[in-house]
Amino acid sequence: MKLKKRIFILPGLIVVAIAVIVFFSFMKKIQDFATQDINLSQEMIFTVPAGTGRTGMEALLTQHKLIEDNQLLPWLFRFKPELAKFKAGTYRLQKGMSLRDVLQLFASGKETQFSIRFVEGSRLSDWSKILQNAPYLKHEIESKTPQELLDALGMKEGESLEGWFYPDTYMYTAGTSDVELLKRAYNKMKMVVGQEWENREKNLPYKSAYEMLIMASIIEKETAIESERTKVASVFVNRLRLKMRLQTDPTVIYGLGDKYTGTIFRSNLNTLTPYNTYMIDGLPPTPIAMPGLASIKAAAHPAVTEYLYFVANGDGGHAFTTNLIEHNKAVGLYRQRLKQDK
């Protein structure tokens, strides 16, 4: 009887052993499937729609040819259910990622970040073009009236958008609206201007923080040289104190709008616009660009000088003078330099 039992037990053990071998072989196959690189030769932006389940993910991966054999995918999800918890979003896939890496990324919800850069001295019209061309950005500005846009940004009725957005690099995820980006830029500019207004030098000829922002925008357009900003600010502050007109070309150019072709003519200087500081007293009604922090600080902390004039010196910088005679000499030298360079 004992011999017969042994005979029956042996085939049973063999069956179990074969089953274990098959199971572990199959698990090894699934493991290899999960750890093999996806079919990707370069970076790819991949969107997981809301409500995507296991079948939907299988279809997406097959559609984009990221995997060759999808028969093992349901088994992978069955044995590794944590890889099947996809979160909707837009993700950045890179060459060398395994299928497990991809599924773990989808489960993490760590969407790819896109960047958008607004430079100092740019105008609202420049920002509009950049926003229109930004990838994966939701465009809402065009559908809003000017007042609706002001309301969405938290601005007051009648306020000018020009100048109120802080130039910087902003990160966003797919589906972010252009209005939301502008709101972030507006809030940052409002904070920076508020801080500099509180810490400004005493007895500056500004009636409000907004006038300081207008001044900062003019400084921004007049020079890109860091060391000159406070000197430029001092010229305009001195002129305001003496009730002299600012006579700054960038404001004239802004007032010309699309009529400006790259050259300011004498007729332009004699044409009255709200921004022609050769003809109007004081500051123009709005900023003429988005100033950076350095220009805002220069407007709040101008150098203490007696300068009333400045002109380009031909080396990328400016010559600063205290009177018209010296200024005219500097202008003459600049024109002479231009002739020599031709």
Side-chain angles (χ1 to χ4, degrees):
M1 291 296 292
K2 289 182 179 180
L3 183 60
K4 287 183 179 180
K5 285 183 180 179
R6 287 177 182 174
I7 292 173
F8 283 116
I9 289 171
L10 283 173
L13 289 174
I14 293 172
V15 170
V16 171
I18 292 173
V20 170
I21 292 171
V22 170
F23 175 76
F24 279 104
S25 176
F26 184 64
M27 291 299 294
K28 177 66 166 56
K29 193 174 182 180
I30 293 176
Q31 173 74 11
D32 292 342
F33 174 68
T35 55
Q36 70 182 0
D37 289 355
I38 55 173
N39 297 327
L40 200 61
S41 60
Q42 59 185 3
E43 184 178 274
M44 176 185 183
I45 302 300
F46 190 98
T47 299
V48 178
T52 299
R54 297 183 180 190
T55 303
M57 180 56 66
E58 181 181 339
L60 284 171
L61 294 173
T62 304
Q63 174 189 339
H64 290 284
K65 299 180 180 180
L66 295 178
I67 57 174
E68 294 179 357
D69 182 7
N70 61 1
Q71 294 181 354
L72 291 175
L73 195 57
W75 290 101
L76 177 62
F77 289 151
R78 179 174 296 181
F79 288 112
K80 295 288 183 178
E82 67 273 14
L83 296 178
K85 298 177 181 179
F86 324 118
K87 293 180 181 178
T90 300
Y91 301 88
R92 192 183 303 272
L93 306 186
Q94 297 178 334
K95 181 182 178 182
M97 292 181 74
S98 68
L99 177 59
R100 174 180 290 167
D101 293 334
V102 170
L103 296 176
Q104 286 176 335
L105 179 62
F106 295 162
S108 72
K110 294 179 181 178
E111 293 187 70
T112 187
Q113 294 277 324
F114 300 94
S115 66
I116 191 166
R117 171 68 176 159
F118 301 109
V119 299
E120 295 86 348
S122 54
R123 297 178 179 176
L124 184 62
S125 57
D126 301 319
W127 284 48
S128 297
K129 292 175 184 176
I130 294 171
L131 289 170
Q132 287 173 3
N133 295 323
Y136 299 95
L137 196 63
K138 186 178 179 182
H139 301 288
E140 295 181 343
I141 292 175
E142 294 177 359
S143 63
K144 293 186 180 297
T145 65
Q147 187 55 51
E148 286 174 339
L149 182 55
L150 288 174
D151 292 340
L153 296 174
M155 298 178 69
K156 297 176 183 177
E157 184 176 356
E159 273 194 311
S160 169
L161 296 174
E162 193 73 86
W164 266 121
F165 302 116
Y166 191 81
D168 203 350
T169 297
Y170 294 89
M171 307 301 294
Y172 66 94
T173 55
T176 300
S177 74
D178 47 12
V179 173
E180 177 58 31
L181 277 180
L182 284 183
K183 190 171 183 178
R184 285 164 56 189
Y186 168 66
N187 287 334
K188 188 168 183 179
M189 180 64 89
K190 189 168 62 170
M191 179 191 70
V192 169
V193 171
Q195 288 176 344
E196 293 304 322
W197 177 250
E198 288 298 318
N199 297 323
R200 71 190 185 281
E201 298 296 326
K202 295 180 181 179
N203 302 317
L204 292 176
Y206 312 133
K207 297 176 183 177
S208 64
Y210 188 56
E211 287 196 352
M212 187 182 76
L213 179 63
I214 294 172
M215 176 64 79
S217 74
I218 297 173
I219 297 167
E220 188 68 58
K221 298 301 289 185
E222 281 287 9
T223 183
I225 299 176
E226 190 76 22
S227 60
E228 285 192 348
R229 294 183 194 275
T230 56
K231 291 181 182 178
V232 170
S234 75
V235 170
F236 293 133
V237 165
N238 290 340
R239 281 178 163 261
L240 287 176
R241 284 174 174 156
L242 294 172
K243 307 298 182 184
M244 294 176 66
R245 288 175 176 169
L246 297 184
Q247 296 182 320
T248 169
D249 291 351
T251 62
V252 176
I253 292 170
Y254 186 85
L256 289 173
D258 294 336
K259 295 178 182 178
Y260 178 65
T261 58
T263 302
I264 298 179
F265 299 99
R266 185 166 295 278
S267 59
N268 299 141
L269 300 180
N270 294 327
T271 300
L272 180 62
T273 75
Y275 294 88
N276 187 346
T277 50
Y278 285 83
M279 299 189 73
I280 67 168
D281 297 327
L283 292 162
T286 73
I288 59 171
M290 313 297 178
L293 180 60
S295 292
I296 297 171
K297 284 184 173 293
H301 306 277
V304 178
T305 75
E306 295 182 358
Y307 295 139
L308 293 173
Y309 303 90
F310 64 92
V311 68
N313 60 14
D315 293 322
H318 296 85
F320 294 84
T321 51
T322 60
N323 59 75
L324 188 56
I325 294 175
E326 292 301 318
H327 174 65
N328 288 336
K329 287 182 181 178
V331 171
L333 289 172
Y334 173 62
R335 288 174 177 170
Q336 221 173 18
R337 180 70 179 271
L338 289 179
K339 289 180 182 179
Q340 291 173 355
D341 294 339
K342 285 185 178 180

